[in-house]
């Protein structure tokens, strides 16, 4: 059910732009003719003309939708206006149609302002890009930038493409992408995003995303889709409204049968319009999602917004979520042979441990030893055992790198002196990784990852916000997981989990009555993310997968944004409740006034339209930071 045909744009909208002032002018002329000149027939003719001018598109739309068995507010207004003309209540007929059109126009303007945040985002993209092409500097429109161009960004200019900094350095304001107000220092090798501003330095950038393929464009596209996605309560309200209109018509018919008062029956039709009620939810959801986007939180739709407002338990992955995701080899670096073997196997994987092992191997000058360049993957038939480790082959020998569980599954005996490394690593919060060459476990490495800056404060803020349980679900070893869990004061730590184990823990939380959010992004998080009521990805800027798959995507790695997401979701839920109360309260007051004889058709429509505008303005409060 539509609240007003004039909110959908198109021909009716264009007609409205002229019909509304014309109808108003006819009403003024009618008042002058009747009350100043004293010409009753002219008064009636001009009022009727005003009603027809303003009411024609209303009636057309009402009949068109009625043909599809949809009972709309326009149908109620049309019946009321025609009835007013039929019984000689010309002023009421003109006032009802004029005010309905005026309310729709004001509502459309307000909603456009609510959605304007996205337009403001797109307006951030510069109109020209300065590129070096075949040694020549030239200005082109951003869509014409080539992937082999070098984009030059001067101090104070907006960056026209997504890309990687080749040279130069600058503090880049990227609040429009990440919601982070503090400029980020960008140097060679760092990623930059279209629409952000190089505040105080020059950058040369290699494009990686152009035009519609930029992070900014994807954000706008995603938010537009999210704002159109309906929440469960919104769909429920629309089903309610579909039945509500026929009930109002029957109520008006019943009132006429009992009282024989046509005016009372028509007035009941007018005040029964559920416009504010139908609008109460979508306008708040649109505003809430827009506000979240401005703060670097992408919420996929109304349903996920409502779910986020109900979260009572959060499960976190450890590596890359609660920790920096940049673990370091803290023991075993002196054993270059072991380190090199591990680097060889890990070269074909993307696990955070792989990077630390390879970096450590390179720093140990293993390359210089001429044995193997750890930066160039050379392992054949590399296979990852999710949650356990990796297996590769070299010169016909199997090289395995991973947890004690992997060694046990491969039926490899871990020497006593190496098994003792687990407890010594645990004391420093490190994970022990065993390295096997063929049938022998030849060494181990200790790897540790630090908690993410601000993680403890974020956990504390979430607890203050009412989160009842916050747990860590990780495939990592017990000792380092426990160390991180204790540092962040989590309620529970579950370690050495396989993907199906994480899913089982999510189910347990749900069985305990919690609405569960899962925060993670690894392959082994996929089942748990799918099972959670709300899946949340971090650091989504520049990640198509995170933007497309997560219910909520935090554009930065700042866990504090999680608190923002919950806060905005709850504020939106509260706003929806306020709007529903305003809508229902208005109907009750008007009904009481009509039955008490203090509200007529025109004043009823005025109050009705005022309530529509009020819920819209109330929703716009969500857009304020």
């Amino acid at each position: 059910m539509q609240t007003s045909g004039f909110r959908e744009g198109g021909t009716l909208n264009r007609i409205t732009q002229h019909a509304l002032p014309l109808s108003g002018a006819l009403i003024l002329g009618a008042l002058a003719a009747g009350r100043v000149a004293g010409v009753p027939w002219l008064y009636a003719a001009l009022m009727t003309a005003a009603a027809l001018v303003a009411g024609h598109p209303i009636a057309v739309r009402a009949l068109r939708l009625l043909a599809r068995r949809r009972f709309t507010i326009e149908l109620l207004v049309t019946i009321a206006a025609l009835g007013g003309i039929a019984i000689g209540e010309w002023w009421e007929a003109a006032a009802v149609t004029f005010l309905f059109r005026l309310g729709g126009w004001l509502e459309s303007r307000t909603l456009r302002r609510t959605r304007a945040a996205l337009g403001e985002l797109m307006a951030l993209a510069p109109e020209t890009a300065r590129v070096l092409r075949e040694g020549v500097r030239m200005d082109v429109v951003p869509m014409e930038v080539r992937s082999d161009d070098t984009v030059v960004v001067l101090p104070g200019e907006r960056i026209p493409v997504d890309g990687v900094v080749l040279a130069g350095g600058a503090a880049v304001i990227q609040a429009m992408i990440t919601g982070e107000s503090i400029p980020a220092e960008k140097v060679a090798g760092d990623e930059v995003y279209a629409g952000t501003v190089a505040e105080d330095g020059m950058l040369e950038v290699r494009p990686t995303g152009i035009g519609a393929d930029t992070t900014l464009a994807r954000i706008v596209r995603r938010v537009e889709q999210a704002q159109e996605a309906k929440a469960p309560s919104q769909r429920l309200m629309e089903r309610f409204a579909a039945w509500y209109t026929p009930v109002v018509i029957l109520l008006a018919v019943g009132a006429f049968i009992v009282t024989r008062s046509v005016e009372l029956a028509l007035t009941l039709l007018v005040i029964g319009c559920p416009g504010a009620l139908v609008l109460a939810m979508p306008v708040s959801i649109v505003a809430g999602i827009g506000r979240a986007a401005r703060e670097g939180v992408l919420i996929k739709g109304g349903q996920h917004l409502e779910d986020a407002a109900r979260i009572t338990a959060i499960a976190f992955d450890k590596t890359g979520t609660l920790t920096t995701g940049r673990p370091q080899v803290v023991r075993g670096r002196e054993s270059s042979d072991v380190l090199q073997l591990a680097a060889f196997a890990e070269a074909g994987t993307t696990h955070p441990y792989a990077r630390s092992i390879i970096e450590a191997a390179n720093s140990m000058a293993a390359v210089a030893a001429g044995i193997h360049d750890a930066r160039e993957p050379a392992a054949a038939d590399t296979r990852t055992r999710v949650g356990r480790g990796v297996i590769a082959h070299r010169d016909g020998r199997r090289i395995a790198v991973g947890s004690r569980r992997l060694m046990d599954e491969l039926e490899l005996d871990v020497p006593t002196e190496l098994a003792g490394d687990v407890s010594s690593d645990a004391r420093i919060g490190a994970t022990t990784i065993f390295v096997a060459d063929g049938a022998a476990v030849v060494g181990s490495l200790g790897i540790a990852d630090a908690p993410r800056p601000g993680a403890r404060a974020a956990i504390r803020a979430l607890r203050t916000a009412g989160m009842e349980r916050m747990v860590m679900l990780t495939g990592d070893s017990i000792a380092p997981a426990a160390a991180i869990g204790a540092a962040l004061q989590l309620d529970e730590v579950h370690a050495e989990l396989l993907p199906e184990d994480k899913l089982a823990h999510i189910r347990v939380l749900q069985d305990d009555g919690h609405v569960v959010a899962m925060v993670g992004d690894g392959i082994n998080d996929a089942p748990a993310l799918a099972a959670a009521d709300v899946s949340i990805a971090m650091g989504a800027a520049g990640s198509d997968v995170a933007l497309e798959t997560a219910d909520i995507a935090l554009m930065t790695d700042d866990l504090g944004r999680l608190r923002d997401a919950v806060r905005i979701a709850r504020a939106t839920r509260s706003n929806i409740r306020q709007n529903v109360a305003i809508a229902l309260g208005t109907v009750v007051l008007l009904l009481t006034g009509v039955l008490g004889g203090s509200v007529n058709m025109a004043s009823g429509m005025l109050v009705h339209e005022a309530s529509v505008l009020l819920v819209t303005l109330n929703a716009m409060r969500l857009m304020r930071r």
Side-chain angles (χ1 to χ4, degrees), residues 406-454:
L406 179 64
M407 301 298 118
D408 292 342
E409 287 181 359
L410 297 176
E411 299 181 348
L412 297 174
D413 293 329
V414 177
T416 305
E417 63 273 20
L418 294 180
D421 290 340
V422 175
S423 56
S424 60
D425 286 339
R427 287 193 289 272
I428 59 173
T431 299
T432 303
I433 301 296
F434 294 100
V435 180
D437 186 358
V441 178
V442 297
S444 69
L445 302 171
I447 299 178
D449 192 6
R452 189 177 291 282

Side-chain angles (χ1 to χ4, degrees), residues 206-360:
R206 176 175 58 81
T208 58
I210 300 167
D213 194 33
T214 62
T215 298
L216 178 63
R218 286 195 294 272
I219 289 173
V220 172
R221 197 160 54 240
R222 166 53 60 196
V223 175
E224 286 177 339
Q225 294 169 355
Q227 289 182 330
E228 296 300 326
K230 295 178 179 178
S233 58
Q234 187 178 345
R235 290 192 289 269
L236 176 65
M237 186 57 65
E238 289 183 352
R239 288 196 296 272
F240 165 76
W243 289 97
Y244 178 82
T245 303
V247 169
V248 170
I249 294 175
L250 292 176
L251 178 64
V253 172
F256 172 74
I257 293 173
V258 173
T259 65
R260 295 296 173 184
S261 171
V262 176
E263 185 175 358
L264 174 62
L266 296 178
T267 304
L268 285 173
L269 287 178
V270 170
I271 69 163
C273 293
L277 196 58
V278 174
L279 192 64
M281 294 181 182
V283 70
S284 297
I285 289 171
V286 167
I289 290 175
R291 163 69 181 280
R294 291 169 59 188
E295 297 200 12
V297 178
L298 293 189
I299 301 176
K300 203 170 184 178
Q303 176 168 351
H304 305 300
L305 189 70
E306 288 192 355
D307 291 341
R310 299 187 297 114
I311 294 172
T312 58
I314 302 178
F316 297 92
D317 176 41
K318 170 180 163 286
T319 304
T321 301
L322 293 172
T323 64
T324 61
R326 296 189 65 86
Q328 302 293 320
V329 176
V330 295
R331 185 189 55 75
R333 299 173 69 94
E334 68 282 359
S335 180
S336 61
D337 290 345
V338 172
L339 198 56
Q340 181 200 2
L341 281 174
F344 171 80
E346 295 283 1
T349 76
T350 58
H351 193 280
Y353 285 180
R355 181 172 51 198
S356 65
I357 291 171
I358 293 170
E359 288 177 354

Side-chain angles (χ1 to χ4, degrees), residues 56-303:
H56 173 258
I58 302 173
V60 170
R61 177 176 172 78
L63 293 174
R64 187 179 299 158
L65 293 175
L66 184 62
R68 290 186 287 182
R69 300 181 179 179
R70 294 179 62 185
F71 297 91
T72 62
I73 298 173
E74 286 84 350
L75 180 62
L76 298 180
V77 173
T78 300
I79 295 173
L82 291 176
I85 293 173
I87 64 174
E89 298 290 348
W90 299 293
W91 156 244
E92 280 75 6
V96 163
T97 51
F98 176 80
L99 290 173
F100 186 77
R101 301 287 296 271
L102 179 63
W105 179 75
L106 291 173
E107 180 190 327
S108 296
R109 282 179 56 87
T110 310
L111 278 175
R112 281 199 296 272
R113 288 189 60 189
T114 305
R115 295 178 184 270
L118 296 182
E120 292 171 2
L121 278 180
M122 285 307 295
L124 296 175
E127 296 180 355
T128 60
R130 184 179 299 103
V131 301
L132 280 175
R133 184 177 295 170
E134 298 176 351
V136 179
R137 179 177 291 197
M138 62 181 69
D139 289 344
V140 299
V141 297
M143 290 292 293
E144 294 178 352
V145 174
R146 300 175 184 172
S147 59
D148 58 349
D149 285 338
T150 296
V151 177
V152 179
V153 184
L154 301 180
E157 290 186 343
R158 290 193 182 277
I159 300 172
V161 296
D162 285 1
V164 177
V165 177
L166 295 174
V172 176
I173 302 173
Q174 50 187 17
M176 59 293 296
I177 300 294
T178 65
E180 178 57 63
S181 58
I182 300 175
E185 293 294 333
K186 299 290 185 180
V187 294
D190 289 340
E191 290 184 338
V192 292
Y193 306 110
T196 57
V197 180
E199 191 176 43
D200 60 355
M202 189 184 81
L203 297 173
E204 291 186 3
V205 177
R206 176 175 58 81
T208 58
I210 300 167
D213 194 33
T214 62
T215 298
L216 178 63
R218 286 195 294 272
I219 289 173
V220 172
R221 197 160 54 240
R222 166 53 60 196
V223 175
E224 286 177 339
Q225 294 169 355
Q227 289 182 330
E228 296 300 326
K230 295 178 179 178
S233 58
Q234 187 178 345
R235 290 192 289 269
L236 176 65
M237 186 57 65
E238 289 183 352
R239 288 196 296 272
F240 165 76
W243 289 97
Y244 178 82
T245 303
V247 169
V248 170
I249 294 175
L250 292 176
L251 178 64
V253 172
F256 172 74
I257 293 173
V258 173
T259 65
R260 295 296 173 184
S261 171
V262 176
E263 185 175 358
L264 174 62
L266 296 178
T267 304
L268 285 173
L269 287 178
V270 170
I271 69 163
C273 293
L277 196 58
V278 174
L279 192 64
M281 294 181 182
V283 70
S284 297
I285 289 171
V286 167
I289 290 175
R291 163 69 181 280
R294 291 169 59 188
E295 297 200 12
V297 178
L298 293 189
I299 301 176
K300 203 170 184 178
Q303 176 168 351

